[in-house]
């Protein structure tokens, strides 16, 4: 059972990261803008999943249920791209 | 309940099984949501790679400040529901109710902001049929908005149940799984914000 | 003859409300079975009408427009309203809790909700018949975005049916993980449960993609979004990617439960433990996973890149491996067994035979060079009817004959069952084997009018369809008659060893007086009880 403070700290981190991703978007990095933005988004998503959704305290079975769909999401994206990108 | 015509003893004897089952159930449901939104994420990836200049040009129509503000709204709503659940696990019903109400309110704020954003885009003549970028924008934020609304409805049901004294430190499973769903809705937006507002 | 069913078990309470508001998985399973079998018959009638039109090369019974609607509705109804929900929502619901030793599924209220969502979807689909779909069951864009048919309504209807499928799969996954009886380890589960588990994983991960696909199609029609419209920069192939990302794995949703039934029937009717239990169990999961990797093989001639075509073709061959493992294990189980050719076994053996033919004709389509010649010909039609009807439907029939005594408390007439089988087997093979040759000779699918040199074979298939129809009628007559008047069934007419046979026929509402403690796997057969 997490302490209230844990949630507040995670919340603060999420706000900070939101500011960071917003700020970085003003710096022209070419195609790396997308990469950086998605990395920051994934960091935020991980914080939400681990702490707010309590994944950190869950057994491997729940982790499997959480991670499997992401693998399938990657599958549909990359499978489609093998066609779309190489026509 | 006397009104039910059929009663049979169907519940597993061990309440912790019910709790574990509910948790697995909500994560399974979230798996379906990942794939539902996944179709849109796939379309986004395909078209962004096909039309990088058009994406860049169109995303200039997005208001980053409003997008960031709405992101903060949803993050705060995740905090409030997390605090509410932590509260009921300590037996504090009043705090749970306050947190649930606050979460619903923040969800409403998000949707109202979205409504005005859409109105603004319509006023500029940017409709779902205008170009692929805006097709994606309206579909993704629209589908997400429907999920926010559904989440608010679920939270409202939880609020009513809390009001009727159904939750305690021993039993708060429905609130917990509603919370997990709500955090997922926040999580999707955490990706939508950069994808639609920041990296055109 | 005093043929009254004394103990009606879960069937005791009567009246509409006792069914409509039930939380009992057995009643929900029965309602699903009735509904899906109804659409099997309706879809079958459409099939017969198609075959009637094809008696002559030129249009004679129906206009081409109506013909397009007929084959679309035949396909869509059979796939979405019969074969996908059929075994999972029917037998899965009835038997999963019994086979794992539970009193019900994990979420009984979600279960009855899934049935009513299914009905809602059916009503919406029926509503779309005011302007029937004419696109083929695959609803390809751009035509589906432009046709005057009620695409939007049908899309929402199928969306609802898909929701029902997702909720059912979700329920089963949690049930199998959490509600197994004490002592039932994963490796003591019946193979039908392994099959249903793999099926449920596919349902949960693949169905949402068809959901979003139909939402996007509706949005294209209503809001004019341009994902699939080349004029707006969209890509019609994107629709096909989304569509087949679901629709290929869904064929494994169709076949895995049927394979699960076969894995139950073969050991019981050869009085031998199943050979290669672990291989069959794990191959179910492998098929589920591999099924997600091959969807592009429906698109080889649609215009995808060569690289994608090569990758998908290569991966397609991999799915044959776990499937072949199952077939080898079933056949090995039969070796030196004491074979009882009761109706469930006859259908199970039929499944193996017909599914092998269907499966072996898959590689013809998976290989790029031959697919160019065979794509969209009758070869494809024959291939999927052999796998779906020769496979899944025979598996369903095996299950119906195997579990009829448990569900109704009465035995079927073996004579009528075998007579029906004869017509079905002969009719099916005449109708569909003929189509492999038709396809090789170049007859395209979905054509109402054709070149005269194909007429002879078309007549053969149509006559075959009538023989098949007679068999189906006899079979259903057997079911309906024996539900009322069949001989009273014992608890365990086949001497099975899975848990459903430990309770009465029909089972009590609460399934087990005491949750059993499981100490061994369910395939120690021995002789039939009383012998």
């Amino acid at each position: 059972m997490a302490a209230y403070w844990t949630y507040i700290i995670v919340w603060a981190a999420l706000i900070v990261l939101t500011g960071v991703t917003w700020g970085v978007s003003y710096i022209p990095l070419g195609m790396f803008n997308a990469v950086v933005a998605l990395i920051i988004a994934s960091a935020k998503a991980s914080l939400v999943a681990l702490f707010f959704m309590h994944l950190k305290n869950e057994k491997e079975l729940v982790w499997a249920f959480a991670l499997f769909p992401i693998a399938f999401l990657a599958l549909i994206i990359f499978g489609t791209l093998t066609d779309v990108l190489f026509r | 309940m006397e009104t039910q015509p059929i009663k049979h003893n169907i519940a597993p004897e061990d309440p912790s099984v019910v709790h574990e089952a509910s948790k697995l159930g909500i994560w399974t449901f979230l798996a379906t949501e990942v794939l539902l939104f996944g179709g849109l994420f796939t379309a986004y990836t395909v078209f962004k790679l096909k039309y990088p200049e058009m994406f860049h040009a169109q995303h200039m129509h997005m208001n980053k400040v409003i997008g960031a503000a709405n992101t903060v709204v949803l993050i705060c709503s995740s905090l409030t529901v997390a605090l509410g659940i932590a509260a009921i696990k300590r037996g504090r019903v009043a705090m749970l109710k306050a947190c649930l109400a606050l979460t619903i309110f923040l969800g409403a704020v998000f949707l109202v902001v979205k409504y005005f954003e859409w109105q603004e885009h319509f006023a500029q003549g940017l409709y779902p049929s205008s170009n692929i970028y805006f097709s994606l924008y309206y579909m993704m934020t629209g589908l997400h908005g429907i999920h926010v609304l559904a989440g608010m409805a679920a939270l409202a049901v939880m609020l009513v149940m809390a009001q009727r004294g159904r939750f305690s430190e021993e039993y708060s499973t429905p609130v917990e799984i509603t919370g997990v769903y709500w955090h997922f809705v926040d999580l999707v937006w955490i990706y939508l914000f950069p994808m639609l507002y920041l990296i055109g | 003859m005093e043929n009254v069913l004394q103990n009606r078990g879960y069937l005791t309470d009567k009246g509409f409300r006792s069914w409509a508001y039930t939380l009992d998985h057995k009643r929900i399973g029965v309602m699903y079975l009735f509904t899906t079998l109804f659409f099997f018959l309706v879809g079958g009638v459409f099939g017969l009408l198609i075959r009637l039109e094809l008696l002559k090369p030129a249009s004679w019974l129906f206009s081409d427009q109506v013909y397009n609607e007929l084959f679309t509705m035949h396909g869509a109804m059979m796939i979405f309203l019969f074969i996908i929900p059929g075994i999972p929502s029917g037998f899965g619901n009835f038997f999963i809790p019994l086979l794992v030793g539970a009193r019900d599924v994990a979420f009984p209220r979600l279960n009855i909700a899934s049935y009513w969502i299914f009905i809602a979807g059916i009503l919406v689909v029926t509503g779309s018949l005011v302007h029937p779909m004419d696109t083929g069951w695959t609803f390809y864009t751009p035509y589906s975005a432009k046709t005057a048919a009620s695409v939007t309504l049908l899309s929402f209807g199928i969306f609802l049916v898909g929701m029902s499928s997702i909720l059912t799969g979700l329920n089963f996954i949690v049930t199998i993980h959490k509600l197994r009886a004490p002592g039932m380890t994963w490796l003591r589960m019946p193979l039908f449960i392994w099959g249903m588990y793999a099926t449920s994983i596919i349902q949960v991960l693949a169905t949402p993609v068809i959901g979003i696909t139909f939402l996007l199609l509706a949005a294209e029609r209503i809001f004019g979004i341009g994902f699939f419209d080349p004029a707006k920069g969209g890509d019609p192939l994107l629709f096909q990617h989304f569509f087949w990302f679901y629709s290929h794995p869904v064929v494994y949703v169709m076949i895995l439960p049927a394979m699960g039934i076969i894995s139950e029937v073969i050991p019981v009717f050869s009085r031998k433990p199943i050979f290669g239990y672990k291989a069959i169990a794990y191959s179910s999961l492998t098929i589920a996973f591999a099924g997600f990797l091959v969807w592009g093989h429906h698109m080889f001639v649609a215009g995808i890149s060569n690289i994608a075509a090569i990758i998908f073709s290569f991966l397609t061959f991999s799915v044959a491996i776990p499937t072949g493992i199952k077939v080898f294990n079933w056949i090995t189980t039969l070796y030196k067994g004491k074979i009882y050719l009761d109706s469930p076994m006859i259908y199970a053996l039929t499944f193996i035979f017909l599914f092998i033919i269907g499966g072996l004709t898959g590689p013809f389509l998976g290989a790029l060079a031959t697919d160019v010649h065979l794509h969209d010909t009758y070869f494809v039609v024959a291939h999927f009817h052999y796998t779906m009807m020769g496979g899944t439907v025979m598996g369903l029939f095996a299950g119906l004959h195997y579990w009829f005594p448990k569900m109704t408390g009465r035995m079927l007439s073996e004579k009528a069952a075998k007579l029906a089988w004869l017509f079905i087997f002969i009719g099916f093979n005449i109708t569909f084997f003929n189509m492999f040759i038709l396809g090789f000779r170049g007859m395209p699918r979905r054509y109402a009018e054709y070149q005269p040199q194909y007429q002879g074979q078309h007549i053969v298939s149509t006559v075959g369809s009538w023989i098949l129809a007679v068999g189906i009628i006899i079979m259903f007559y057997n079911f309906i008659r024996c539900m009322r008047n069949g001989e009273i069934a014992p608890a365990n007419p086949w001497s099975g060893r899975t848990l459903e046979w430990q309770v009465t026929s029909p089972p009590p509402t609460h399934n087990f007086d005491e949750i059993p403690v499981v100490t061994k796997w369910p395939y120690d057969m021995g002789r039939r009880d009383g012998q």
Side-chain angles (χ1 to χ4, degrees):
Chain A
M1 191 163 66
Y4 295 124
W5 267 112
T6 314
Y7 296 127
I8 296 183
I9 294 173
V10 171
W11 166 82
L14 288 169
I15 302 291
V16 166
L17 284 172
T18 306
V20 168
T21 196
W22 178 41
V24 169
S25 74
Y26 286 103
I27 307 172
L29 296 169
M31 79 159 180
F32 284 104
N33 273 112
V35 174
V36 170
L38 286 175
I39 290 178
I40 297 178
S42 300
K44 290 165 75 179
S46 305
L47 284 174
V48 172
L50 284 168
F51 292 98
F52 284 161
M53 296 165 92
H54 302 120
L55 252 192
K56 191 163 162 295
N57 311 327
E58 295 286 1
K59 318 188 293 258
E60 301 86 28
L61 185 62
V62 180
W63 278 81
F65 276 56
L67 295 176
F68 248 81
I70 301 176
F72 282 84
L73 177 59
L75 175 64
I76 186 176
I77 293 179
F78 286 111
T80 307
L81 287 179
T82 61
D83 167 32
V84 169
L85 286 182
F86 294 106
R87 286 205 204 140
Chain B
M1 285 190 293
E2 286 68 45
T3 46
Q4 253 184 311
I6 293 297
K7 267 173 137 165
H8 59 285
N9 178 15
I10 51 178
E13 280 80 38
D14 187 350
S16 76
V17 172
V18 175
H19 183 79
E20 292 297 306
S22 302
K23 251 199 296 197
L24 268 189
I26 192 66
W27 280 100
T28 311
F29 181 67
L30 293 184
T32 72
E33 297 279 51
V34 168
L35 269 305
L36 185 74
F37 280 95
L40 293 176
F41 281 71
T42 308
Y44 175 95
T45 310
V46 165
F47 290 122
K48 179 157 165 48
L49 290 171
K50 261 183 111 174
Y51 306 120
E53 301 87 16
M54 185 264 275
F55 264 57
H56 186 76
Q58 293 303 315
H59 109 279
M60 299 305 236
H61 286 125
M62 295 292 131
N63 186 328
K64 290 203 234 191
V65 175
I66 294 190
N70 244 359
T71 310
V72 169
V73 166
L74 272 189
I75 291 175
C76 291
S77 74
S78 267
L79 174 66
T80 50
V81 74
L83 289 175
I85 292 170
I88 191 62
K89 282 195 161 311
R90 292 163 174 83
R92 305 190 49 193
V93 180
M95 184 166 160
L96 168 68
K97 290 196 294 189
C99 287
L100 285 174
L102 206 46
T103 311
I104 297 171
F105 172 71
L106 288 168
V109 167
F110 177 89
L111 287 179
V112 165
V113 170
K114 209 84 222 82
Y115 170 78
F116 282 114
E117 258 192 298
W118 280 28
Q119 288 293 93
E120 179 59 35
H121 288 132
F122 291 153
Q124 292 173 19
L126 295 165
Y127 296 98
S129 52
S130 300
N131 56 60
I132 293 235
Y133 183 87
F134 273 91
S135 301
L136 275 166
Y137 170 75
Y138 285 112
M139 283 300 302
M140 291 172 104
T141 57
L143 190 62
H144 178 259
I146 292 173
H147 282 80
V148 172
L149 204 53
M152 285 166 62
L155 287 165
V157 170
M158 293 301 116
L159 188 52
V160 168
M161 285 171 74
Q163 175 66 17
R164 293 188 185 166
R166 298 283 297 273
F167 302 126
S168 66
E169 45 201 84
E170 282 90 36
Y171 179 69
S172 56
T173 306
V175 198
E176 288 174 60
I177 62 176
T178 306
V180 171
Y181 172 79
W182 187 258
H183 293 306
F184 177 76
V185 170
D186 181 18
L187 209 152
V188 171
W189 182 258
I190 283 175
Y191 280 98
L192 290 187
F193 170 54
M195 284 165 73
L196 294 171
Y197 290 81
L198 301 182
I199 61 175
Chain C
M1 187 165 66
E2 199 48 79
N3 209 11
V4 176
L5 191 54
Q6 301 294 350
N7 175 13
R8 297 180 54 85
Y10 77 101
L11 292 167
T12 307
D13 285 312
K14 297 198 186 197
F16 176 76
R17 289 172 70 93
S18 75
W19 287 90
Y21 297 116
T22 187
L23 295 178
D24 182 357
H25 65 98
K26 298 183 289 299
R27 286 183 171 229
I28 295 173
V30 167
M31 291 196 288
Y32 266 112
L33 267 180
F34 269 90
T35 312
T36 52
L37 287 174
F38 172 75
F39 283 102
F40 171 63
L41 295 175
V42 173
V45 167
F46 283 130
L48 290 172
L49 292 174
I50 293 171
R51 289 277 11 129
L52 268 181
E53 170 59 48
L54 290 169
L55 277 175
K56 295 193 189 179
S59 299
W60 66 288
L61 258 188
F62 306 111
S63 67
D64 288 358
Q65 172 63 27
V66 171
Y67 183 81
N68 291 347
E69 294 165 3
L70 276 177
F71 67 68
T72 303
M73 293 318 293
H74 169 75
M77 236 177 228
M78 284 298 206
I79 288 177
F80 292 112
L81 303 185
F82 162 59
I83 209 169
I84 292 174
I87 300 179
S89 304
F91 288 131
N93 261 314
F94 199 107
F95 285 104
I96 289 178
L98 282 167
L99 260 55
V100 301
R103 296 203 186 287
D104 208 300
V105 292
F107 308 116
R109 284 172 298 184
L110 207 61
N111 207 8
I112 186 70
S114 87
Y115 179 72
W116 287 112
I117 293 173
F118 183 57
I119 294 296
I122 289 173
L123 290 173
V124 175
V125 166
T126 312
S128 80
L129 287 174
V130 294
H131 221 138
M133 282 288 274
D134 55 353
T135 58
W137 84 275
T138 49
F139 310 128
Y140 277 4
T141 53
Y143 184 58
S144 58
K146 300 189 163 64
T147 176
S150 309
V151 178
T152 307
L153 257 183
L154 190 63
S155 299
F156 278 120
I158 297 181
F159 185 88
L160 288 172
V161 169
M163 264 253 76
S164 164
S165 182
I166 287 173
L167 294 177
T168 300
L170 187 159
N171 228 333
F172 290 167
I173 289 176
V174 180
T175 305
I176 293 170
H177 269 283
K178 290 294 173 191
L179 264 55
R180 281 171 285 133
M184 186 176 287
T185 57
W186 282 84
L187 293 176
R188 285 185 191 154
M189 285 193 325
L191 287 167
F192 179 66
I193 304 294
W194 277 98
M196 285 308 312
Y197 181 68
T199 302
S200 303
I201 293 177
I202 304 176
Q203 279 179 295
V204 158
L205 291 174
T207 315
V209 178
I210 200 70
I212 192 69
T213 307
F214 280 120
L215 283 182
L216 290 174
L217 183 58
E220 185 139 328
R221 290 176 68 94
I222 301 175
F223 301 119
I225 67 168
F227 293 169
F228 310 130
D229 185 352
K232 295 186 171 156
D235 183 4
L237 248 58
L238 190 63
F239 178 89
Q240 294 187 29
H241 276 291
F242 287 172
F243 182 85
W244 288 112
F245 187 84
Y246 164 73
S247 298
H248 189 82
V250 92
V251 311
Y252 300 105
V253 169
M254 299 173 197
I255 200 66
L256 281 169
M259 289 176 163
I261 294 179
I262 303 309
S263 297
E264 297 302 334
V265 169
I266 296 276
V268 170
F269 290 84
S270 47
R271 306 315 304 168
K272 269 189 73 196
I274 188 81
F275 182 88
Y277 169 93
K278 270 200 220 168
I280 297 185
Y282 296 148
S283 70
S284 302
L285 295 178
T286 311
I287 289 174
F289 175 66
F292 275 95
L293 304 178
V294 303
W295 77 90
H297 70 219
H298 298 269
M299 300 162 63
F300 284 154
V301 298
I304 60 175
S305 71
N306 287 335
I307 293 182
I310 294 170
I311 295 174
F312 280 117
S313 173
F314 176 74
L315 290 172
T316 299
F317 284 85
S318 69
V319 188
I321 300 172
T323 311
I325 288 175
K326 285 189 195 281
V327 174
F328 292 142
N329 286 342
W330 291 323
I331 295 178
T332 312
T333 307
L334 295 170
Y335 178 66
K336 288 198 175 168
K338 178 154 178 49
I339 312 290
Y340 288 89
L341 284 177
D342 300 306
S343 51
M345 184 59 152
I346 293 183
Y347 279 108
L349 294 174
T350 306
F351 171 101
I352 297 176
F353 176 66
L354 296 177
F355 184 73
I356 287 178
I357 297 176
L360 286 177
T361 51
F364 287 73
L365 300 166
L368 290 169
T370 44
D371 185 69
V372 169
H373 180 70
L374 296 172
H375 177 79
D376 263 354
T377 65
Y378 264 73
F379 191 92
V380 180
V381 178
H383 164 73
F384 64 68
H385 280 93
Y386 262 84
T387 47
M388 292 207 261
M389 186 164 196
T392 302
V393 177
M394 294 301 148
L396 171 71
F397 291 166
L400 281 170
H401 288 77
Y402 181 53
W403 278 320
F404 186 91
K406 179 55 56 182
M407 293 192 292
T408 62
R410 295 182 183 275
M411 301 298 289
L412 285 167
S413 154
E414 278 293 305
K415 267 209 206 134
K418 286 167 179 164
L419 182 64
W421 173 84
L422 196 60
F423 277 89
I424 289 173
F425 185 78
I426 293 174
F428 173 86
N429 280 299
I430 292 177
T431 309
F432 293 109
F433 197 86
N434 180 38
M435 288 187 190
F436 283 124
I437 304 168
L438 253 183
F440 247 102
R441 291 176 61 208
M443 170 73 201
R445 65 186 286 203
R446 295 176 170 157
Y447 276 39
E449 306 192 7
Y450 55 83
Q451 305 261 317
Q453 68 259 32
Y454 299 120
Q455 182 177 23
Q457 285 193 265
H458 271 297
I459 294 176
V460 167
S461 275
T462 301
V463 171
S465 72
W466 296 336
I467 300 173
L468 176 57
V470 167
I472 303 283
I473 291 171
I474 297 175
M475 194 179 74
F476 273 76
Y477 176 73
N478 193 10
F479 292 151
I480 294 171
R481 192 156 177 281
C482 291
M483 273 198 287
R484 301 270 150 190
N485 294 329
E487 202 183 294
I488 303 294
N492 197 353
W494 314 119
S495 303
R497 300 289 175 241
T498 39
L499 287 175
E500 80 273 33
W501 304 112
Q502 313 304 322
V503 299
T504 56
S505 298
T509 305
H510 54 280
N511 290 353
F512 304 96
D513 288 329
E514 262 182 55
I515 300 291
V517 176
V518 173
T519 53
K520 50 193 172 128
W521 78 333
Y523 298 108
D524 290 330
M525 286 299 146
R527 293 185 166 198
R528 279 194 159 175
D529 300 334
Q531 289 183 6

